[in-house]
Amino acid sequence: MKSPWRPVSPPATTCANYKGKCENPHGHNYKVRLTLAGAELDPAGLLLDFKLLKQVLHPVIDRIDHRMLNDLEPCHRAEPSAENIAKYFYDQTNQQLAAMTQGRVRVKEATLWETDTCTATYYE
């Protein structure tokens, strides 16, 4: 199951270990897509209702919406690269889905679009 594209309002970031324009404060209009997996469907024949997925994603997005990523976990310990932000979505949504579905549904991968042509995908 793949979630629809979900826009993330532009947070700000700097990349201290990167030499170039991105070492200066800047923002991105990220988009995120989650691919979910599970061994069985619920009684309605769904892996997960999209309405519930939105409930899971909403607080994860709100936490970084219009914020300075470098000041937030985990980016104050690691560079706020697209790869690390994709991992953030993977970890946070997996944690919430595990609680919501008693482990029946998990995130298979999280893809983050930094631009229309540049993506990072995180999976384990």
Side-chain angles (χ1 to χ4, degrees):
M1 173 183 165
K2 289 191 178 183
S3 68
W5 292 66
R6 177 66 193 227
V8 180
S9 297
T13 184
T14 61
C15 297
N17 293 318
Y18 180 85
K19 299 304 174 202
K21 290 181 182 180
C22 291
E23 65 187 312
N24 298 314
H26 64 286
H28 293 282
N29 291 315
Y30 296 114
K31 294 176 188 171
V32 64
R33 176 179 283 157
L34 302 176
T35 302
L36 305 182
E40 61 185 58
L41 303 179
D42 70 11
L46 304 172
L47 183 62
L48 185 73
D49 190 322
F50 284 120
K51 177 180 69 174
L52 296 176
L53 182 57
K54 287 180 185 178
Q55 289 176 4
V56 167
L57 271 173
H58 191 70
V60 177
I61 291 171
D62 280 352
R63 186 164 176 267
I64 66 171
D65 184 23
H66 285 89
R67 304 282 305 274
M68 180 58 127
L69 293 179
N70 301 72
D71 296 338
L72 304 174
E73 275 288 334
C75 295
H76 79 274
R77 290 181 286 122
E79 289 292 335
S81 63
E83 293 82 355
N84 281 330
I85 298 167
K87 183 181 185 317
Y88 162 78
F89 277 99
Y90 179 94
D91 291 342
Q92 294 297 308
T93 53
N94 238 346
Q95 185 178 55
Q96 289 190 48
L97 283 172
M100 178 185 281
T101 67
Q102 291 76 46
R104 187 179 60 80
V105 178
R106 65 177 176 81
V107 177
K108 182 177 178 181
E109 65 182 32
T111 299
L112 185 86
W113 277 259
E114 191 172 79
T115 68
D116 288 339
T117 58
C118 296
T119 67
T121 300
Y122 185 85
Y123 59 91
E124 294 180 354

